[in-house]
Amino acid sequence: MPQSDDERLVDLAARLEHEDPRFARSLSAGRPARPREYRRRSAWWLLAIGVIMLVAGVIVADGLLIAAGLVLTGIAVQLLDPDHPRTGGPHRPPRH
């Protein structure tokens, strides 16, 4: 038996509340916040710190600092990828 539209909306609201409670609360208050997949402030900070470490490592010629800066920069770029499945981006079927 197919579900009614009301049941589907209730299921959708429950799933949204479970996945991103902050966004669900802001919708009910009438002032929508950005969904979780668009909140990337920490990734930008990580990118800035990684680039600063990389530049500092080049200036003082410290290989460990350069490597750490490269690793942090790589992690931040991965977190900023909008199509990455862990960040909630659009899921594309694999190409054969």
Side-chain angles (χ1 to χ4, degrees):
M1 182 161 103
Q3 284 184 322
S4 71
D5 289 339
D6 291 337
E7 290 174 354
R8 280 188 241 160
L9 287 174
V10 169
D11 289 342
L12 181 63
R15 243 182 301 144
L16 179 63
E17 177 67 35
H18 176 69
E19 290 175 5
D20 196 353
R22 178 180 168 207
F23 180 65
R25 281 191 310 270
S26 67
L27 275 179
S28 65
R31 297 184 57 115
R34 286 182 175 183
R36 177 177 290 149
E37 58 267 12
Y38 294 109
R39 289 185 237 144
R40 291 194 168 83
R41 184 173 294 150
S42 60
W44 283 108
W45 279 108
L46 189 63
L47 179 64
I49 292 169
V51 169
I52 289 169
M53 287 176 64
L54 179 62
V55 170
V58 170
I59 290 172
V60 298
D62 184 8
L64 187 59
L65 197 55
I66 292 172
L70 285 172
V71 169
L72 281 179
T73 303
I75 292 170
V77 168
Q78 185 72 22
L79 291 173
L80 288 170
D81 181 13
D83 293 331
H84 192 269
R86 294 182 82 190
T87 59
H91 300 286
R92 295 189 179 121
R95 293 183 182 168
H96 296 285

